[in-house]
Amino acid sequence: MTNEQLKEKLLQVFPGAVISETTQYVTLTVEPDKLHETAAALKGNPELHFDYLFCQSGTDVKEALGVSYFLESTDLRHHLLLKVSTTNRENPVLDTVCDIWETANFNEREIFDMFGITFKNHPDMRRMFLDEEDWVGYPLRKDYVDEVNIIERN
Amino acid sequence: MNSIIKYLKDLFGGIKTLLTGMMVTGYYFVHPKEIVTQQYPENRKTLVMLDRFKGELVMPHDENNQHKCTACSICEINCPNGTIEVISKQTETEDGKKKKELDTYIYKLGMCTFCGLCVKVCPQDAIEFSNEFEHAVFDKEKLTKTLNHPGSSLKSKQTAQ
Amino acid sequence: MQTGIPIEYFLITATVMFFAGVYGFITRRNLITMLMSVELMLNAVNINFVAFNRYLYPNLLEGQFFSIFIIAVAASEAAVAIAIIINIYRNYQSIDVDKTDQMKY
Amino acid sequence: MTEEIVQHDIEQEEYLLNMGPQHPSTHGVLRLLISLKGETVANIEPHCGYIHRGIEKMCEKLTYQQIIHLTDRLDYLSAHINNEAVCLLVEDALQIEVPERVKYIRTIISELSRLASHELWWCAFGMDMGALTTYFYGLRDREKILDIFEETTGGRLLQSYNCPGGLMNDIHPNFQKRIKEFIPYFRKKLPEYDELLTGNVIMQERTKGIGPISKEDVISWGVTGPSGRGSGFACDVRKHHPYSAYDKVQFEEILFTEGDSLARYKVRIAEMWESLKILEQLVDNIPEGDYAVKMKPIIKLPEGEYYQRVEACRGEFGVYVISSGEKYPVRVKLRSPNFSNLSALNRMAAGFKIADLVAVGGSLDLVIPDIDR
Amino acid sequence: MTGNQIMFILFSLMIIVFSVLTVTSRKILRAATFLLFVLVATSALYFMLNYQFLAAVQLTLYAGGIVVLIIFSILLTSHIGEKFESPALLKKVYAGIAVVAGTVLVITTILSYTFQNNNSVPRSVDMTTIGTDLMSYGDNGYALPFEVISILLLAAMIAAIVVAKKIKTK
Amino acid sequence: MKYEDFKDNETLELFKQTGGNVLFTTIDAVINWGRSNSIWPLTFATSCCGIEMMAAGASRHDFARFGIEVYRASPRQSDVIVVAGTIVNKMAPVLKRLYDEMAEPKYVIAMGACAISGGPFYYNSYHVIKGVDKIIPVDVYIPGCPPRPEALLYGVMQLQRKIQTETIRNPRKQPDTFADTEIK
Amino acid sequence: MAFSIYDLTAFNQSIHEALVQNLSPFWALIVEMTIIGLVFLLFYAIVGLFLVYAERKICGFIQNRVGPNRVGPYGIFQTIADFIKLLMKELIYIKNADKFLFNLAPFIVIIASFMAIAAIPFGLGLHAIDFNIGVLYVMAVSSLGVIGILLAGWSSNNKYSLIGAMRSGAQIVSYELSIGLSLVTIVILSGSMQLSTIVEQQRNCWFIFSGHIPAFIAFVIFLIASTAETNRGPFDLAEAESELTAGFHTEYSGIKFAFFFLAEYMNMFIVASMAATLFWGGWMPFHIPGLTSFNHVMDFIPPFFWYMGKTMVVIFLMMWFKWTFPRLRIDQLLKLEWKFLLPINLFNIVLMALVVLMGWHL
Amino acid sequence: MSSESLILFFIVAVILVGGAITFSSFIPPTSTNPVKSEPYESGIPTIGKTWLQFNVGYYLFAILFLVFDVETVFLFPWAVVMHTLKAQAFIEILIFFFILGLGLLYAWKKHALIWE
């Protein structure tokens, strides 16, 4: 399916969806509260059938904490970039998608570890890499400061 | 009956695969010329490193104790992890112009990752990698090196050409 | 071979061993140690058999064969006993004889 | 007294065993917390982060040229391929067309990396299974590849040979000759691997049916690379999204459907044969030309988001870059194959024995610094 | 003093000391280890009396078989650092009195009885004799017990499997 | 290899400051000979350098020639811990624990840039220990990223030379500064 | 017989008589015993050190490398260096470990192997004790070693150790059976359990040849079972490095670990000696009936060399196994024993009995 | 030589092992630190008790071993006289094996020979 066809299809399934094409992939941006149902539809719809989440990344761009989901359909071979973001930096909460794509389980734990985004309904919301008890702060956030460990260059 | 045949088949098939494996190891046991060991400290004299091997950053000096570094610090900026520190001094030439000159070129061998960016970006080709790899020391301080020799100076344009 | 050691010494050794087993069997509450006490007693008996055989009837081999069969029986006994003990342990988390008096089957 | 008797089944109690961080079979500093029932593994809880170095954070303070030396140290066994991902991303973003020669050389070195990596996997897998001699035979042949690397790139393990726009320097004159010597040599040695380990009845018994995972599960868990292809997941990026010179060569995507440890093992062995085939096709046809295009000293990607996927030795490696137009990226996400592969470990190995866990772990071929980044 | 006597003193002391320790040690695995020593010493006594086959059987079955089984079950049912609570004092006293009384009684009986050492020609105890006896019928034959042992073993094996496997189906 | 061929002889001379009488010298020589020729490493590798350590153990370079054949997985039985790779904050207590659990005499080789100084992760990294000598005392530093197997062999020879300067009368003690360092 | 020139019985006798004449019988015995003990101790140490060295060199050659070569010529002093190192290594005591049992375990393991070596005939008239139940004695004594392993694993208070010990226990006791039964096969053939008699009976033809197929099957089973019994080769689950770090001796350091290490090699030596003695004629030279001159030439090689040669061949086979095969899993290991070796062994015994019954072995 | 020499062997072995361990516990350098005497578990403090989880497989094999060990021991005297007694011994052992074979078959059928 080409990107144009995919866009049409997406608009058909999600009327009023925000679709852009800034990367090589079609980008679909959703609101946090719609995330889980959109994700379920993306996998469940036989014509879209995005069954492979090949990359899930937390982002911290311009004050908004977000998550990018890179999706691929292994049989139809089309791609989609699903984006969601929240501006609540104090207590960001998003829905988990690990019941849809199992790989999200670890990835969401990593995002929680690095960005502090909590995922609702996640079975095991703990830090992935950093020490569970001792570590304070979320290193990949832009406002993270750590004077103990980081030696700034120059 | 079939199960007995299968039992025996498993038994003898298994033994055959085991013997095949033993053939391989047995072959090497009786062929000592297949030994590939390079006896390092003994073969030190004959050991030749491949010429692009990156062992250590050096600054070549010619017979007049002159190097080519102009202290432009491009290598220092390009180094990903601050291995290089170029300390320059201002000197005045005869015609009164102020000129930047290399004072010390500090190279922290213990930090270098041998990515090669410094050599690649150097506009003067003043630094290069040597093949030396025997660096192990007891004292960490010994790993911080000064690359320019004491009393060395910049190679003048004429001699360079 | 048997020069110098009277048979009584063997019997006394066996006696002490036997009564040590009795003491253990009475005072211990752990099933495995009780089993061990039983083994001690059996072993004491074996020594007696062998000593009698060697000193009193060296022309026969009854004592030795009895000992061999006792050992075989002891082994079978230990096998079954341990199986039972382990089964009790699975049910009661304990092999304390006081805690397992509620055997249901 | 009678009330105190608790009738619960003892097998429900958990017996926790730490495997790692310092453990010979976790191939690094992975820590697996295993709940045991007898010798059976009930649950595996991976604890990562024992080598989390914060590379993604560091990338935000480095230029694109400098990022490359960090991607080397992710999955050090496919260092060149990781570099290539970053370079391809930068070249795509700046819309630079690199010379054909560069593409060919990159592909050759990628495939050599893959061979070296799979050989090392074979050693380590054999060692996990207790066949200690595999370690020596595998590394003996790997040294030949490392010699080729060292001669051309100057590095044995971490080559740092790519740079945005091409390569650091041209290939060594001996490069092709050495590869042409290596291919027949390795074609002779590979059947030995089969005789020594693959066919061995003990090895077959220990891996057949151990750690099975279905194709649906593999896709859902995002298990890629040889591990995914062992379950029939057609995930070879080289085939489906060709980059560099992969669209110019003929090779098979190895697929097995059993999904057990033996299938994953066989995929890797077969991939070594395929890599040899690719090498043969490329090595004589390296076109003449520049080894790099002239780049500006400071690379600034246009504002936007970029993603590049390549097939590293252990699966799909992806680089996701958000750029604001500065010389430093805003966010670099490195999609590491091992991270996803690890997440499926519990799914695969639970219910088997400790020894099987080692076999499954070995067949996944985890590289821990790649997981932790 | 002959070597024989020294050996006897050594081993009988070993037997006495370790049997007492077996029943008084408060750590179960130590008790099992002391039992092992007792059994090994017993086997040494058999060696001394020249019953070599019996001694080897004692070593193989008792020391190598039963003790291993006991240690196995101890490993499974108790953990390190676990101690028995000392038995009740009263129980100890009663048992002690009974045991000491019994011991004294038996020893006095033994010492008061005169054993008639039979000086008839000793029968050799080499393996052929043992084997022939074990295989033959009649006066010195043990063929029947030999076969009965096999049935006993069968019974023990089935019993052990039944008991052990029973819970498995639960 | 001859004495002059080695680097850093000045530091080695410092180790040799303690003298001894003839008897002790002989005993020392025997013990040091045993120790220096039988250095069993702990199987411990965190990242890239570990692969080169493996390569050093393989047929081409063959660690075993130096008597380093027996890689022990248990710290109780190993003599030297080759810190091959980056040590991060979460790993540091583990490494310290492993070192503490080793039996005396024990040695440490810091292999590669990461172990010496944090290497590529010295600046701007929030989770890397900047040099393993901050946690445990290091005997030999082998620079390189990763050092080639020959460099590791050279480092091992340096360690052997260092072991040969020990005396039995005042055995090498863990420096006090490390004895009760608590690492968070 | 030509090899009677190597008969040491007379030599032993003369020493014995010299002692008896000069000392009281008791002291004569003590002195004699001390001499034998020291000789065996020396022998034990030399064999142990040599086997460790041999294993390193053999695995080195199998693996395309040279092995230790820097300590002495060809590295022959390597194991001595190891020994000195281990002797000068700190002994660690584990908190909460049962100290008594922790210390006892290496004793049991070493003593079991040391006692077993006493009954092995090294040459004509060269054995310490010649029991009429020699075969059973060696089996009985070496079976005690497993207790040491179990105690070591339990008393270390370490999970790896305990799992390793349990595995090892199940493994050793299982394979004990196969060893016993394959020895029974040979005892049927020879009709004696005295090791010297068994060797003597192989004067003209070794049992592995005269016993036809059953003896060969018994030999193969013995080889497999003894490899398992010594925790080596593909059966090293107890110390399975990739799973349990170092298995039952994880917590042992220094010389105590060395004893476990040594015991492994000595057990290997003992089972190899047993294999050589029972199947390959012990110190008997190789004879082909009919070729008298050939037989005479063979006779001039001293019996001790014959014995050592045969033992080393068996040891080499065991090392070859170890460096070729992957490790078995515990359930496969037990399956191999209980479903393959044990039934085959029982069948084999009946077969051998049939052979003897029919007189085919003559 | 007689079986007395066994004692000597025993004593020699004890002295060897004991002497080496005694030597080794006093002479080599020592150091103390809080974690040295803790059990080693891949560098992480042990969680929970060291005592092993219960499993049928472990002791079932020990029991089976014991039973067959008794059998083995009884086979030895038989084996010695097989030469002399011939047919009589052969028939007796056939009965013996038949009965024990039933046991082995039973264990096989009940899957007692599988480690779990």
Side-chain angles (χ1 to χ4, degrees), chain G residues 294-307:
Chain G
F294 174 77
N295 292 350
H296 272 293
V297 173
M298 289 290 135
D299 285 344
F300 278 102
I301 301 171
F304 187 72
F305 288 122
W306 274 109
Y307 163 78

Side-chain angles (χ1 to χ4, degrees), chain B residues 120, chain D residues 64-65 68 71 77-115 145 148-149 152-153 159-172 175-176 179 238 242-249 275 278-279 282-283 285-287 290-295 299 308-313:
Chain B
K120 188 173 188 281
Chain D
Y64 293 98
Q65 290 103 321
I68 283 172
T71 50
L77 291 176
S78 52
H80 178 88
I81 307 177
N82 295 354
N83 290 344
E84 198 178 345
V86 179
C87 295
L88 287 171
L89 182 133
V90 172
E91 286 152 13
D92 269 8
L94 296 174
Q95 289 167 348
I96 296 167
E97 184 63 30
V98 294
E100 285 291 294
R101 183 180 178 80
V102 175
K103 290 185 179 175
Y104 272 70
I105 295 169
R106 278 181 181 172
T107 312
I108 290 173
I109 295 195
S110 291
E111 287 310 309
L112 283 174
S113 296
R114 199 180 310 281
L115 271 177
I145 301 178
I148 300 174
F149 283 158
T152 290
T153 69
Q159 296 95 15
S160 299
Y161 190 47
N162 275 315
C163 60
L167 306 165
M168 294 289 270
N169 41 29
D170 204 356
I171 52 171
H172 197 270
F175 184 65
Q176 281 148 304
I179 292 176
R238 294 176 293 170
Y243 54 94
S244 291
Y246 282 113
D247 48 353
K248 300 185 184 64
V249 289
S275 292
I278 297 174
L279 283 178
L282 291 176
V283 67
N285 304 323
I286 301 176
D290 285 337
Y291 64 85
V293 287
K294 191 81 185 144
M295 299 282 283
I299 297 174
Q308 177 66 45
R309 33 202 317 206
V310 292
E311 179 75 13
C313 306

